[in-house]
Amino acid sequence: HGKRCASDACPTKPPHLAALPGRRSGRRQSRATFAMSDQLSYPDLVLDPSIRDWVLIPIFVIMFLMGILRNNVTKMMRSSEKTKRDTVQQNNLLMRARRLRANAGWVPAAAFAARKHHFCDKEKGLLMQKQDAPNPMAAMSDPNMMSKMMQGNMAMMVPQMLMMVIIPHFFSGFVLGKIPFPLTPSFKGMLQRGVNLSTLDTAYITSMSWYILAMFGMRGLYSIVLGAGSTTDDSALMQQQMGMAAGGGQPGQQPDYNKLYAAEAENLQITEHKFHLSAAEEKLLRGGKADGVTARGKAKRA
């Protein structure tokens, strides 16, 4: 017939076309089938509470005690060194300049200008004086420095080797929990080590994955318990061993104070001074209205 028949049950429609569904209905059915197959392939697991008591908590406690032990051993292996007088003076000079920049608003304009001239004068400024350049080969030729690097490597690697033996031997093959957000199957190798199941949802984590996550997530707890000077941060230890210390120098090498002084002098010169106590008395009398009071005070003085 001349007009297109919209109904699937049209008597003039060929039987092989009437039996086939439309494109939209086919897409909906395929999506529903995919969702149903996805739900069937990844069922929710009910974990035994004994896994929490005998696997999850013991791994956390063992790692925490191992970190405390490593921190104490590292402190015992450190040798007490006497700091040089020149190094202390140079560090104190940098601290004074940084404190002046941080607290510039609490110093009057004349006092800030005098201190700025004292630090940044081209001829007599303390930050403009040339310092001795560090010798890059001095740290490599020092046997004490090499022994310290070996001790640092041992303090970092030996506990990790012990934990990598203990965790798979006693706690392998356990599913400990589930991450509250979905992940792609590419994370299976990272989160489900020791459990090779293709039908297990990617959000579930195993004992080995819990060990790795807890190893990088306990920095805050170590800093609270052991203080800010603890040596339990594996990433910081690795950076020190690889020569990624502050200033970009090799481990044990003294920083280049010429570059540090030049950068601090530049920062101090571009610092804008604004005195916070310029109208303190009038602010107190007027109840904190700073702008209007300052304008009135200037007008009266004029």
Side-chain angles (χ1 to χ4, degrees):
H1 46 271
K3 296 183 180 180
R4 181 178 295 179
C5 184
S7 176
D8 293 337
C10 181
T12 60
K13 201 170 192 178
H16 65 280
L17 296 178
L20 294 176
R23 291 185 177 179
R24 296 182 179 178
S25 60
R27 291 179 181 176
R28 292 175 182 175
Q29 290 181 0
S30 62
R31 291 176 183 175
T33 305
F34 179 75
M36 291 176 63
S37 63
D38 194 12
Q39 293 177 359
L40 291 175
S41 60
Y42 297 129
D44 291 335
L45 299 181
V46 179
L47 302 179
D48 191 355
S50 300
I51 297 178
R52 176 196 58 197
D53 300 334
W54 296 101
V55 180
L56 190 143
I57 297 178
I59 291 176
F60 183 81
V61 173
I62 290 172
M63 292 184 60
F64 180 72
L65 296 178
M66 185 66 72
I68 294 178
L69 179 62
R70 184 178 63 179
N71 180 63
N72 295 332
V73 171
T74 305
K75 288 183 177 180
M76 291 174 60
M77 293 172 62
R78 286 179 178 176
S79 60
S80 58
E81 298 180 354
K82 294 183 179 180
T83 308
K84 297 181 180 180
R85 180 180 179 181
D86 296 339
T87 305
V88 175
Q89 291 179 351
Q90 291 169 346
N91 292 331
N92 290 340
L93 180 60
L94 281 175
M95 292 296 297
R96 287 172 55 193
R98 290 170 182 172
R99 288 176 181 174
L100 177 61
R101 282 196 299 112
N103 303 312
W106 304 103
V107 180
F112 177 75
R115 288 170 172 82
K116 184 177 179 180
H117 178 77
H118 179 68
F119 282 112
C120 302
D121 186 36
K122 293 183 179 180
E123 296 180 358
K124 298 181 180 180
L126 297 180
L127 295 178
M128 296 299 180
Q129 303 296 326
K130 293 184 178 181
Q131 306 294 327
D132 296 334
N135 186 8
M137 300 302 295
M140 301 301 296
S141 60
D142 189 4
N144 295 327
M145 185 58 59
M146 300 298 294
S147 63
K148 289 179 183 178
M149 292 177 62
M150 293 180 62
Q151 292 176 2
N153 288 328
M154 291 179 60
M156 181 178 63
M157 297 300 297
V158 172
Q160 298 297 336
M161 293 173 62
L162 291 176
M163 293 297 294
M164 292 299 291
V165 172
I166 292 174
I167 299 300
H169 182 72
F170 292 100
F171 305 104
S172 63
F174 291 97
V175 178
L176 301 185
K178 185 178 181 182
I179 299 177
F181 50 85
L183 294 173
T184 58
S186 59
F187 288 91
K188 269 184 172 292
M190 183 179 64
L191 297 179
Q192 296 180 2
R193 292 186 179 182
V195 178
N196 298 324
L197 293 176
S198 59
T199 59
L200 185 62
D201 190 4
T202 314
Y204 288 98
I205 61 174
T206 59
S207 55
M208 285 294 297
S209 304
W210 169 247
Y211 159 69
I212 296 174
L213 292 174
M215 180 177 62
F216 293 101
M218 296 180 67
R219 302 174 188 173
L221 181 61
Y222 283 137
S223 63
I224 293 174
V225 177
L226 301 176
S230 61
T231 58
T232 55
D233 194 350
D234 293 329
S235 61
L237 292 175
M238 291 175 64
Q239 290 178 1
Q240 291 177 5
Q241 297 301 324
M242 295 174 62
M244 299 172 62
Q250 298 294 327
Q253 180 181 348
Q254 293 184 356
D256 191 357
Y257 286 98
N258 291 319
K259 296 181 180 179
L260 296 177
Y261 283 1
E264 188 62 31
E266 183 179 359
N267 294 332
L268 191 58
Q269 288 175 356
I270 63 176
T271 301
E272 296 182 0
H273 181 265
K274 184 178 180 181
F275 191 41
H276 299 322
L277 303 178
S278 58
E281 299 87 354
E282 298 178 356
K283 288 180 183 178
L284 180 62
L285 295 175
R286 298 287 181 174
K289 298 179 180 179
D291 298 336
V293 170
T294 306
R296 291 178 185 175
K298 291 182 179 179
K300 289 180 179 179
R301 292 173 185 174

